[in-house]
Amino acid sequence: MRRRTEAPERRRGDLLDAALQIVLDKGVAGLTVDEVTARAEVAKGTFYLYFRSKEQLLGALRDRFVDELTARQQAELGRFPAGDWMGRLLHWMESGIRGYLAHADLHDALFHHPRSAGHGQAARHGHEADPAINQHAAALAGLLEAGTAAGAFALADHRAAAILLYNTMHGTADYLVERAGHHGTTGSAADLVDSVIAESLNLCRRYVEPAGSAS
């Protein structure tokens, strides 16, 4: 077992990395605090310095999944011309779908396993679309707000639009993960992915563009 000489964020990252591998190997049901600390080579007490429970650890893994996708998208959007709001939006939608699809096994394990409800209420879905509590959805809301201010989008309420488009993106991803995400890279699976994404982008374009704009 390693001595605790690493920086706190590094130790937390080691615990998350260990948990990630266990989830990929065994699923969420196979994740235990004992195995996480054994793989991370830290004392069990160290785990509780960073996480109160297995469920909080899983929440941190979900947050990291979304944070990394959001950061990657923001970096990609920065390469678009300043006034290309439609291009940015369509890229955000497509990269979001393909980003989830590329990590289908982890996506399923983290976001689709049953979770216990607190205080008698149903547990919230891991992809809550409200921009106030989901930074991925908040990034979309910011993009829609800026594009509307620039006259590229015709939206009365950019936050409401973000909720609708976020659910469109995520519903498309969920469908493709279920239908094509676990069937390799066969021609039919790839064609399905491309076709469904293309229609999702067409829907998005028609929804946001001002009346009379060229498609």
Side-chain angles (χ1 to χ4, degrees):
M1 187 172 293
R2 295 176 298 184
R3 293 181 180 273
R4 287 180 18 179
T5 56
E6 295 177 341
E9 280 306 306
R10 174 64 182 274
R11 287 199 298 273
R12 185 177 186 276
D14 288 344
L15 289 165
L16 287 170
D17 290 343
L20 175 63
Q21 289 305 312
I22 295 167
V23 168
L24 289 173
D25 291 345
K26 301 181 178 182
V28 170
L31 183 68
T32 66
V33 173
D34 285 340
E35 186 164 0
V36 170
T37 55
R39 290 206 188 192
E41 300 182 13
V42 299
K44 190 171 182 179
T46 301
F47 176 91
Y48 292 104
L49 294 175
Y50 301 96
F51 307 103
R52 293 189 302 274
S53 63
K54 167 184 167 178
E55 192 61 35
Q56 188 181 44
L57 173 66
L58 285 169
L61 283 175
R62 294 182 199 109
D63 289 344
R64 188 167 75 167
F65 182 97
V66 173
D67 290 348
E68 289 177 352
L69 175 59
T70 302
R72 186 163 59 249
Q73 285 181 310
Q74 291 303 106
E76 292 168 357
L77 294 181
R79 296 196 285 269
F80 279 74
D84 188 6
W85 294 105
M86 186 65 77
R88 291 182 183 186
L89 175 59
L90 297 181
H91 181 80
W92 189 97
M93 294 289 288
E94 181 169 3
S95 64
I97 295 167
R98 292 190 186 278
Y100 284 120
L101 191 58
H103 301 283
D105 291 338
L106 179 59
H107 171 278
D108 284 356
L110 291 178
F111 293 98
H112 289 176
H113 84 282
R115 269 168 274 170
S116 59
H119 306 293
Q121 297 178 339
R124 288 189 173 185
H125 193 279
H127 295 293
E128 174 65 60
D130 186 352
I133 59 175
N134 181 335
Q135 78 156 356
H136 195 206
L140 174 58
L143 174 58
L144 293 173
E145 181 179 23
T148 300
F153 306 145
L155 298 172
D157 185 336
H158 69 274
R159 291 177 63 83
I163 292 170
L164 292 173
L165 290 178
Y166 187 89
N167 280 315
T168 298
M169 180 276 292
H170 213 280
T172 302
D174 284 344
Y175 172 78
L176 291 174
V177 165
E178 180 65 25
R179 289 294 304 274
H182 299 295
H183 299 288
T185 56
T186 64
S188 60
D191 289 345
L192 174 65
V193 169
D194 290 343
S195 177
V196 172
I197 289 177
E199 286 306 310
S200 295
L201 299 185
N202 285 336
L203 183 152
C204 176
R205 181 186 293 107
R206 291 195 297 269
Y207 174 63
V208 303
E209 67 184 0
S213 296
S215 298

